[in-house]
Amino acid sequence: MSDAFTTRVLTVSTGSRERVVDLTRDCEAFLREAAGGRDGLLNVFVPHATAGIAVIETGAGSDDDLLAALHTLLPADDRWQHSHGSRGHGRDHVLPAIVPPHATLPVIGGRLELGTWQSVCLVDTNIDNHERKVRLSFLG
């Protein structure tokens, strides 16, 4: 594979509760190695049917607000036809339609080009899956 494309898989432990996990530092560390100061694109992809990637502010309550909003939009109750797993698990399978399983972000001079308060986050509402894979891919 050429130097123009580099990829790596992260393993992220999400535990047994709903989580928003900030991946920004992991993305930056990957780009320090992979981008070599080049411009390009970073793609962040979670290959799971019950998780997503969001670019949001963290640490000021927005991550908790996102989980609260998802509870309003996708209640963890018995309304879901997809019904295996913990109560309300069917909603976890709808999550990627609202929080997509990927984000593609600009890289300028080897650095992730985010706004002041933006972070790259894994959103995981599936309490039955305690470990996630996240693929980081740089094209530049």
Side-chain angles (χ1 to χ4, degrees):
M1 192 167 287
S2 77
D3 290 340
F5 180 80
T6 306
T7 191
R8 173 176 302 147
V9 175
L10 305 174
T11 300
V12 180
S13 177
T14 56
S16 59
R17 64 182 177 90
E18 297 177 357
R19 302 260 325 264
V20 175
V21 180
D22 191 338
L23 302 174
T24 308
R25 287 187 178 152
D26 296 300
C27 292
E28 291 169 342
F30 169 70
L31 288 172
R32 278 193 295 277
E33 296 175 24
R38 297 187 314 265
D39 294 350
L41 296 172
L42 173 68
N43 183 264
V44 183
F45 175 72
V46 56
H48 298 281
T50 59
I53 300 295
V55 178
I56 62 169
E57 177 182 5
T58 59
S62 296
D63 36 358
D64 291 332
D65 289 343
L66 174 58
L67 291 176
L70 291 172
H71 273 276
T72 299
L73 292 169
L74 304 170
D77 59 22
D78 295 328
R79 73 183 68 199
W80 307 101
Q81 292 182 38
H82 188 108
S83 61
H84 73 86
S86 60
R87 185 172 189 264
H89 175 65
R91 76 177 187 122
D92 300 326
H93 288 273
V94 177
L95 174 75
I98 296 169
V99 180
H102 59 87
T104 300
L105 305 162
V107 176
I108 307 298
R111 299 189 58 156
L112 194 54
E113 188 75 8
L114 292 173
T116 302
W117 304 112
Q118 289 180 317
S119 296
V120 181
C121 298
L122 169 67
V123 179
D124 187 2
T125 59
N126 182 356
I127 62 173
D128 296 330
N129 190 342
H130 302 233
E131 189 173 274
R132 298 300 188 154
K133 302 292 183 192
V134 179
R135 178 171 296 280
L136 305 178
S137 300
F138 174 72
L139 178 62

